[in-house]
Amino acid sequence: MKKFVAGMLCFCMMAAVATACGGGDSNGSDTPATTVNNGGGDTGETTEDPATDPANEGKTPINLYAFTEEVPMMCQCFLDTHPDFAAQYYINKTVIPTTEQQYQPALDQALLNGGEDAPDMYVCEEAFIIKYTQGDMSSFAAPYEDLGIDVDAKIEEAQIAPYTVECGTNPDGKVVALGYQTTGGAFIYRRSIATEVFGTDDPDAIAEQIGAGTNSWDAFWDTADELAANDIAIVSSIGDMWNVVKHQPNTSAWVVDGALNIDPNRESFLDIAKDLIDNGYCNDTSAWQDAWFADMAGIGEKPVFGFFGPAWLVNYTIAPHCGGDSAPADGDFTQGNTYGDWAVCQSPVGFFWGGSWVLCNNDSDKKEAVGQIIEWITLDCTNTGLQYYWANGMISTDNYAEDGVMPEGTYTSDSVASAVVMGMSDGSSDFLGGQNMFDVFVPANEFASGEGMTQYDENINAEWQNQAGYYAHGEKDRDAAIEDFQTYVSENLGL
Amino acid sequence: MAEVATTKLKKPSAINKRKNPIYMTVIYIVCIILLLLCLMPFWLLLVNATRSSVEIQTHAVSLIPSKYLQNNWKVFQGKDFNVAVGFKNSLIISTCATALAVYFSSLTAYALTAYEWKLRDGFFGFIMGVMMIPGQVTSIGFYQMCYKLHLTNNHLMLILPSIAAPMMVFFMRQYLQASLSIEIVESARVDGANEFFTFNRIVLPIMKPAMATQAIFSFVGSWNNLFTPMILLTKNELKTMPVMVSLLKGDIYRTEYGAIYLGLFLTVLPLIIIYLLLSRYIVAGVALGAVKG
Amino acid sequence: MGKKRISYAKWGYIFSIPFVVAFALFTLYPIVYTVFIAFTDLKGAANTTPHLLKDDILKNFKEVLATSQFKQSFGNTWKIWIMNFIPQMGLALLLTAWFTDNRSKIKGQGLFKVAFYMPNIITAATVAIMFNAFFGYPIGPVNDLLIRFHFVDSAQNFLIKKANGQNIVAFIQFWMWFGYTMITLISGVIGIDPSIFEAAEMDGANRVQTFIYVTIPSIRTILLFSLVTSLIGGLNMFDIPLLFLNGGPDNATLTTNVFIYKQAFSGAYLYNRAAAASLIMLCIIVVFSSLLFWLMRDRDAEKAKKLRKQAIKEAKLKAKGVA
């Protein structure tokens, strides 16, 4: 019996492997046909070692460290669209996800130990960008001007979102990192609820209703009260509010002169969390968990009015979880399909959430070459630049290897760093009831602030959010939460 | 002690002779509940491998399979790695590491049991000490060493360290102490066999059950090892299965959960097979000698 | 033995060489490095040049011992280990009693034995994800069940309560390891001379009496072996507490190893303190294990000595016989 089971499993595995190989082959044979459109170059077959690939013979490798496939895909796109460059260089990528908390240790070791495997180019995200631009590892980040980029003029020309520049500037005031995407945040709300409670779903009217751009939360809490009276929650989770409060403009950093500093803005989050729970302003969910997604489809405990978030939250998170891929035929959004029921308006205070920055290693001997790629990714504001492709849904990580660059609107669009590119692009979608979200996200990117960040934020933010949760749920009182937080910070960060 | 105890018990009981139905029912109920508890995760993995990411995010746990298996498979192998390559790398590393660990641990254990040498007790104490070192912090030193010597992207760095497996040496020693009689070794010596030959031809066969069980534990450990290969193997064609599966999580905004579960299931499949094949040793033979007598 | 006695001691050294060499090459440097940095000022991600502490060489150790988190994590580690070890051992013993009882032959034993070890082959990361999903709040399978069967009126936020966090981690550890312990114990029982059981049955001992007075004393060594390995494993408990709740809620599942990991790899990269904490833990584990080994070692040594004497005697007899 046991042998039989084992035999069956063996067989299944063999079959699986066999199909894998078969699939790989057919995949491989598809590739050449499509890559021709991209101006030649070799896109597929990345399981081969690029160093031993005959197509790369005589070329110089550019080592790239990244935590997603996004930037490697963009680099590939650069090679495909710049044949002259591709004749000299190829990309040798290393992708390590941040989810296992191994990206930073690996990147740090690779940077510290140098040698020919050291990264020439690397990517950082919001949670740890400061460590690499202003913190412990900042000495490795090469100023963009050393890469042959006329960075200040370019930033002005492309109208790059100011907070991304702030985060990417080193202590000497030189720009060492910029992004392609922007993650300035807005309030993403349900039209049907707006109409029901406030009599209008117009983004401008709702913006006024929640006090958009006032830098004050008063109007927002009044709105929350009004919604709560109708048994509607204004947001889904406590964490949704933290994403906004965290990077609120005019907030001083967690660490000032080597000591912990709790800014009043951030301290107020304790009370916000408590109010959310006590007054039923939220469904008490947690981000990325079942109940949070249920609120996107409108099937949570109570209806939820909206979410705070950037453009990626609209297209990559809410849209796939809204319960449908076209608006419900009967126009009833309460039955688990909210497609088309969403709209975007300005947030009461500016904020940003997430984002990636691209850096070049100071010790790299290929700075000029890396500079060309970086410039194309972060500062090119023409319609053949990466950002135009990205903002108009012309490339996608999932399909690039097969499809290459596609016409505008093929994939979902995302907000990008250059306001000039955003101006040329169309961010409207049926999901938002035809609204062009870029109308809101361009000012949102202007409105976000990159000040008051430290390299310890990832850690400190997580603990502050935890303590606020314990306080809000009555696990401890306010003073105890603050005290425990201070203990944590002093013991974990040695401050 | 056993004899003393048993002579004290004088109450003959008829219950012993026949099966008590209530007692048996309780046993079966408990066993079946435990069985379900233990097999459930495998079923959940399998079910989630057939569900779409959105389904999984909406309801993380479900007992009913969905229809997205093929789709997940496409996503899974559409990412730029090759499942067959991952299997091959994992298999090479785990098999070699296990073989080395089992063989050299047996050898070291034999040295600790069969011979009288001056530093023996000290050496054993040393192995015990090594066994207890918390692993988290030494990892910094290990990574640093690998990077400094430019030994990253080398399977050998994942295989060779297993030659020194203190836990296994400890277990093997316990086993040998009870099951190896010096007499056999002596008689082999009389027959003129050299020591190395004696170990390979006479001692190793005696250790088979212990080796099988330790092989399972070692193989499972090596196959599931994630952190070390993740940092040391940066080239796609060298990556192991678990590293490849964790790469699927890399895209923070759009995670393909269905494909991840499919990957997890494929990762655990070989382990199940190997475990089932070796399980008769586990059930019957683990530490057989360690308690004999 | 007509020939002169040859000393085989050198083979002991020779056969230990591979272990020692591999150890020296791959493990020694990291360990020495750890010990060294425990006495230095090495902290910060980019710092690669440690300096020995001049004014107070034991500063890192003092700092670690002064942190409330280390004390807390130390308490948690013991608590969670004991909470998982007692039921684990209890259940393993119970199952061992059932499966080795000749009088009630349980059908499908093989299946049960094999299946009970299976949780051990899934990676900790997967286990952590699953359990996190089970206890989802306000929507999740456990909450759904409890509400459906009217155990509770509204969804419970299980994972925010400290006690729940510890209980669930202890349960996961228990669930992952009871099969392993059971298998170890069963094989111990299989090794017992069957005639002892027969004698017990003849004397009219019932199942419980047989197990308590005959079986358990006979597997004393293997019980100790399980205890020691479980203790070492328990004091090094790491992946489940880290991956399941990241040491939370409110440090309730912060074990010493998670504490060490967080000191070294998050926030300020306090390598020196992490190394010092590792050394402190090492000392504690060594002390406790040595105590247990001392209990076990006595018997082993005696047994080995007896065996050797016997072997020599027999060899001599044999030699005589041959002559």
Side-chain angles (χ1 to χ4, degrees):
Chain A
M1 169 65 190
K2 224 176 290 158
K3 277 204 172 132
F4 174 74
V5 174
M8 282 306 289
L9 286 170
C10 250
F11 176 76
C12 293
M13 189 173 76
M14 295 292 191
V17 173
T19 32
C21 302
D25 285 342
S26 66
N27 201 7
S29 57
D30 283 351
T31 338
T34 46
T35 44
V36 175
N37 313 338
N38 306 331
D42 173 304
T43 51
E45 299 298 315
T46 26
T47 44
E48 301 276 317
D49 180 0
T52 54
D53 189 339
N56 289 331
E57 215 181 285
K59 296 186 192 173
T60 316
I62 292 176
N63 295 328
L64 167 66
Y65 270 58
F67 52 88
T68 68
E69 288 290 342
E70 251 168 41
V71 174
M73 181 271 289
M74 292 167 180
C75 290
Q76 188 58 52
C77 185
F78 180 77
L79 293 182
D80 293 341
T81 50
H82 297 75
D84 294 347
F85 187 90
Q88 287 175 291
Y89 298 98
Y90 66 94
I91 301 292
N92 192 5
K93 66 170 178 178
T94 300
V95 180
I96 301 171
T98 51
T99 39
E100 319 285 351
Q101 301 178 4
Q102 297 299 300
Y103 179 65
Q104 293 182 62
L107 176 60
D108 294 350
Q109 288 298 333
L111 285 170
L112 288 166
N113 288 290
E116 62 177 38
D117 288 333
D120 296 302
M121 193 175 159
Y122 51 104
V123 187
C124 297
E125 69 163 345
E126 178 211 339
F128 50 85
I129 175 68
I130 300 299
K131 174 179 157 196
Y132 292 89
T133 56
Q134 295 158 20
D136 287 348
M137 299 298 287
S138 61
S139 60
F140 289 98
Y144 273 19
E145 57 185 37
D146 293 357
L147 313 178
I149 303 174
D150 184 6
V151 63
D152 294 329
K154 282 277 184 181
I155 286 175
E156 198 149 317
E157 183 195 333
Q159 296 175 32
I160 299 298
Y163 84 93
T164 64
V165 183
E166 273 173 65
C167 296
T169 304
N170 73 8
D172 302 334
K174 293 189 169 151
V175 175
V176 293
L178 285 176
Y180 43 94
Q181 176 196 36
T182 40
T183 58
F187 188 63
I188 307 153
Y189 65 92
R190 298 266 307 271
R191 287 173 186 271
S192 59
I193 294 176
T195 313
E196 182 192 329
V197 182
F198 308 113
T200 171
D201 67 352
D202 179 53
D204 291 335
I206 299 302
E208 206 183 318
Q209 173 72 37
I210 63 168
T214 57
N215 250 328
S216 142
W217 287 104
D218 299 343
F220 186 80
W221 295 127
D222 293 342
T223 310
D225 264 333
E226 212 174 325
L227 286 162
N230 288 287
D231 206 25
I232 294 167
I234 192 160
V235 290
S236 178
S237 73
I238 299 177
D240 289 336
M241 288 304 298
W242 174 242
N243 285 327
V244 189
V245 177
K246 174 166 77 170
H247 291 313
Q248 194 166 332
N250 305 317
T251 301
S252 53
W254 277 122
V255 181
V256 176
D257 299 329
L260 177 67
N261 161 53
I262 305 178
D263 188 277
N265 278 341
R266 283 174 171 153
E267 188 173 339
S268 74
F269 176 64
L270 287 178
D271 309 310
I272 292 177
K274 187 86 179 155
D275 283 349
L276 284 175
I277 298 295
D278 291 354
N279 301 337
Y281 292 161
C282 75
N283 263 350
D284 199 11
T285 63
S286 304
W288 310 109
Q289 302 225 334
D290 297 11
W292 195 62
F293 291 116
D295 285 339
M296 293 177 182
I299 48 175
E301 195 187 340
K302 285 186 283 191
V304 165
F305 184 46
F307 291 82
F308 281 104
W312 61 258
L313 191 82
V314 177
N315 280 332
Y316 299 146
T317 313
I318 301 180
H321 293 98
C322 71
D325 39 27
S326 60
D330 55 1
D332 182 359
F333 294 112
T334 60
Q335 301 302 314
N337 177 6
T338 60
Y339 192 98
D341 193 30
W342 297 87
V344 180
C345 77
Q346 201 70 256
S347 150
V349 302
F351 73 103
F352 70 97
W353 178 11
S356 305
W357 280 259
V358 190
L359 295 88
C360 174
N361 186 351
N362 227 340
D363 299 334
S364 169
D365 50 6
K366 298 147 207 159
K367 280 188 192 146
E368 292 276 326
V370 173
Q372 289 181 46
I373 304 181
I374 286 184
E375 187 173 349
W376 182 74
I377 291 181
T378 62
L379 290 160
D380 188 331
C381 55
T382 65
N383 66 358
T384 52
L386 179 272
Q387 295 190 31
Y388 185 80
Y389 294 166
W390 194 247
N392 289 287
M394 295 161 73
I395 48 175
S396 133
T397 330
D398 295 337
N399 299 316
Y400 186 78
E402 288 133 46
D403 297 349
V405 180
M406 299 292 282
E408 280 95 337
T410 307
Y411 310 109
T412 48
S413 51
D414 193 8
S415 159
V416 293
S418 159
V420 171
V421 173
M422 297 265 272
M424 307 192 294
S425 309
D426 182 12
S428 58
S429 65
D430 292 341
F431 177 73
L432 294 173
Q435 186 189 11
N436 182 354
M437 65 173 180
F438 290 167
D439 292 345
V440 176
F441 283 115
V442 172
N445 291 332
E446 292 281 326
F447 199 25
S449 159
E451 61 194 14
M453 288 169 76
T454 72
Q455 61 172 327
Y456 308 117
D457 281 9
E458 187 177 12
N459 228 272
I460 299 180
N461 284 334
E463 184 62 17
W464 183 241
Q465 223 182 318
N466 286 341
Q467 293 297 343
Y470 306 138
Y471 167 60
H473 290 95
E475 297 292 312
K476 56 173 78 166
D477 63 34
R478 199 173 185 279
D479 292 338
I482 293 178
E483 201 178 304
D484 289 349
F485 171 71
Q486 284 164 335
T487 312
Y488 174 90
V489 172
S490 81
E491 291 183 356
N492 264 39
L493 303 176
L495 296 173
Chain B
M1 157 122 196
E3 279 153 62
V4 181
T6 46
T7 47
K8 270 183 194 162
L9 308 162
K10 283 274 151 69
K11 205 179 70 188
S13 128
I15 296 168
N16 287 341
K17 298 285 179 262
R18 60 185 162 81
K19 291 182 185 179
N20 179 340
I22 299 170
Y23 175 71
M24 292 308 288
T25 317
V26 170
I27 291 181
Y28 280 113
I29 289 175
V30 172
C31 285
I32 286 168
I33 291 173
L34 288 174
L35 182 79
L36 292 178
L37 263 179
C38 293
L39 295 183
M40 172 205 60
F42 296 93
W43 178 245
L44 293 179
L45 277 185
L46 189 62
V47 167
N48 272 351
T50 68
R51 304 169 75 214
S52 72
S53 297
V54 172
E55 282 177 330
I56 293 169
Q57 286 188 322
T58 327
H59 290 287
V61 179
S62 163
L63 295 174
I64 308 141
S66 182
K67 53 185 187 225
Y68 293 91
L69 180 62
Q70 226 174 346
N71 202 33
N72 288 335
W73 175 251
K74 239 163 82 190
V75 172
F76 185 65
Q77 50 126 352
K79 295 279 170 177
D80 70 355
F81 52 75
N82 192 325
V83 187
V85 171
F87 262 123
K88 194 191 77 191
N89 290 332
S90 279
L91 209 60
I92 291 173
I93 293 174
S94 304
T95 313
C96 296
T98 303
L100 289 179
V102 169
Y103 183 80
F104 285 107
S105 298
S106 307
L107 188 68
T108 314
Y110 181 65
L112 283 168
T113 327
Y115 304 105
E116 302 247 16
W117 41 295
K118 226 180 179 176
L119 295 175
R120 188 178 75 167
D121 292 339
F123 184 56
F124 180 65
F126 166 76
I127 288 179
M128 306 278 34
V130 171
M131 198 163 100
M132 294 164 209
I133 294 174
Q136 308 328 318
V137 161
T138 52
S139 62
I140 311 169
F142 186 69
Y143 298 148
Q144 216 199 26
M145 183 176 81
C146 293
Y147 272 93
K148 269 196 180 136
L149 302 174
H150 297 289
L151 286 170
T152 51
N153 283 319
N154 195 333
H155 282 173
L156 286 179
M157 289 309 281
L158 295 164
I159 296 172
L160 293 179
S162 64
I163 292 175
M167 271 289 195
M168 207 188 278
V169 173
F170 171 58
F171 183 91
M172 295 295 193
R173 176 182 171 272
Q174 297 297 100
Y175 183 88
L176 270 182
Q177 281 207 327
S179 64
L180 179 75
S181 74
I182 299 295
E183 180 197 344
I184 300 174
V185 180
E186 300 268 355
S187 68
R189 281 177 190 157
V190 171
D191 290 346
N194 86 20
E195 293 301 302
F196 200 58
F197 181 89
T198 311
F199 172 72
N200 284 330
R201 290 299 163 85
I202 295 165
V203 179
L204 276 188
I206 297 175
M207 301 183 71
K208 246 188 194 162
M211 287 164 72
T213 42
Q214 287 302 301
I216 293 175
F217 299 148
S218 163
F219 194 90
V220 168
S222 173
W223 185 275
N224 282 340
N225 186 4
L226 175 64
F227 290 160
T228 326
M230 189 174 250
I231 291 209
L232 293 186
L233 305 177
T234 57
K235 287 183 180 161
N236 257 340
E237 76 278 7
L238 292 176
K239 283 180 177 160
T240 61
M241 268 307 275
V243 175
M244 286 185 170
V245 173
S246 79
L247 280 182
L248 286 172
K249 297 181 208 160
D251 208 329
I252 36 177
Y253 308 127
R254 296 160 290 169
T255 308
E256 292 289 351
Y257 287 104
I260 290 174
Y261 279 104
L262 181 61
L264 289 174
F265 185 75
L266 288 177
T267 310
V268 85
L269 202 58
L271 288 181
I272 300 178
I273 293 166
I274 287 166
Y275 172 58
L276 290 183
L277 290 176
L278 289 176
S279 64
R280 61 197 170 103
Y281 289 105
I282 265 212
V283 173
V286 79
L288 204 65
V291 281
K292 256 190 188 163
Chain C
M1 277 193 176
K3 291 176 214 163
K4 256 186 197 171
R5 272 191 72 82
I6 308 161
S7 166
Y8 290 101
K10 66 171 183 187
W11 289 99
Y13 291 98
I14 293 170
F15 286 172
S16 304
I17 289 173
F19 182 97
V20 173
V21 169
F23 178 81
L25 282 180
F26 302 108
T27 325
L28 195 61
Y29 172 78
I31 291 173
V32 170
Y33 182 79
T34 306
V35 174
F36 172 64
I37 59 176
F39 299 97
T40 67
D41 62 353
L42 188 77
K43 59 180 172 190
N47 195 342
T48 45
T49 44
H51 302 285
L52 271 179
L53 292 165
K54 289 232 169 64
D55 23 317
D56 184 1
I57 195 85
L58 293 176
K59 185 166 161 269
N60 296 321
F61 293 88
K62 285 176 188 160
E63 279 180 0
V64 168
L65 291 172
T67 59
S68 63
Q69 284 192 72
F70 182 74
K71 289 173 215 155
Q72 218 177 338
S73 66
F74 190 66
N76 291 338
T77 311
W78 280 101
K79 197 172 165 193
I80 296 173
W81 177 67
I82 291 169
M83 282 197 306
N84 113 68
F85 183 73
I86 291 174
Q88 179 190 323
M89 206 30 134
L91 183 66
L93 278 171
L94 184 68
L95 292 170
T96 307
W98 287 348
F99 289 148
T100 55
D101 185 355
N102 290 328
R103 288 171 250 181
S104 47
K105 286 240 173 343
I106 296 167
K107 284 185 189 119
Q109 270 196 44
L111 176 70
F112 290 133
K113 284 185 205 163
V114 168
F116 292 170
Y117 172 72
M118 298 264 287
N120 209 290
I121 67 179
I122 315 177
T123 58
T126 313
V127 171
I129 293 171
M130 279 187 195
F131 275 86
N132 224 318
F134 286 149
F135 292 99
Y137 166 81
I139 299 176
V142 173
N143 268 316
D144 290 351
L145 277 178
L146 291 179
I147 292 172
R148 190 172 299 167
F149 293 105
H150 302 287
F151 288 114
V152 294
D153 298 330
S154 59
Q156 301 291 305
N157 194 349
F158 297 103
L159 300 182
I160 204 170
K161 301 265 186 225
K162 288 181 169 196
N164 288 341
Q166 292 179 340
N167 289 335
I168 296 169
V169 168
F171 174 79
I172 297 175
Q173 295 283 347
F174 155 80
W175 173 74
M176 285 182 81
W177 292 99
F178 82 90
Y180 174 89
T181 310
M182 177 199 75
I183 284 169
T184 320
L185 296 183
I186 287 182
S187 50
V189 176
I190 292 173
I192 302 174
D193 187 349
S195 59
I196 300 180
F197 291 113
E198 281 159 25
E201 203 175 339
M202 295 271 272
D203 288 344
N206 66 23
R207 292 188 180 97
V208 179
Q209 289 166 328
T210 310
F211 192 73
I212 292 174
Y213 295 112
V214 182
T215 314
I216 291 186
S218 310
I219 55 169
R220 204 179 126 257
T221 18
I222 206 133
L223 281 172
L224 269 166
F225 170 81
S226 296
L227 182 67
V228 170
T229 44
S230 174
L231 178 79
I232 295 175
L235 293 185
N236 279 321
M237 199 187 310
F238 174 65
D239 35 13
I240 293 290
L242 179 80
L243 298 166
F244 179 47
L245 293 169
N246 197 17
D250 214 6
N251 291 339
T253 61
L254 186 81
T255 61
T256 45
N257 259 14
V258 174
F259 170 75
I260 290 167
Y261 176 83
K262 285 187 163 188
Q263 291 273 303
F265 291 110
S266 71
Y269 299 84
L270 304 168
Y271 298 130
N272 51 354
R273 265 205 216 165
S278 307
L279 292 186
I280 295 171
M281 276 316 285
L282 179 62
C283 295
I284 290 167
I285 298 177
V286 166
V287 167
F288 277 95
S289 306
S290 311
L291 201 75
L292 289 168
F293 276 128
W294 179 73
L295 294 167
M296 212 157 90
R297 187 202 173 97
D298 236 354
R299 293 189 106 219
D300 283 350
E302 267 174 28
K303 208 191 309 159
K305 222 182 265 172
K306 224 184 274 171
L307 272 175
R308 259 197 305 278
K309 269 185 195 161
Q310 207 180 334
I312 292 167
K313 215 190 280 171
E314 278 170 26
K316 274 180 188 164
L317 280 173
K318 212 179 187 181
K320 266 182 201 165
V322 171

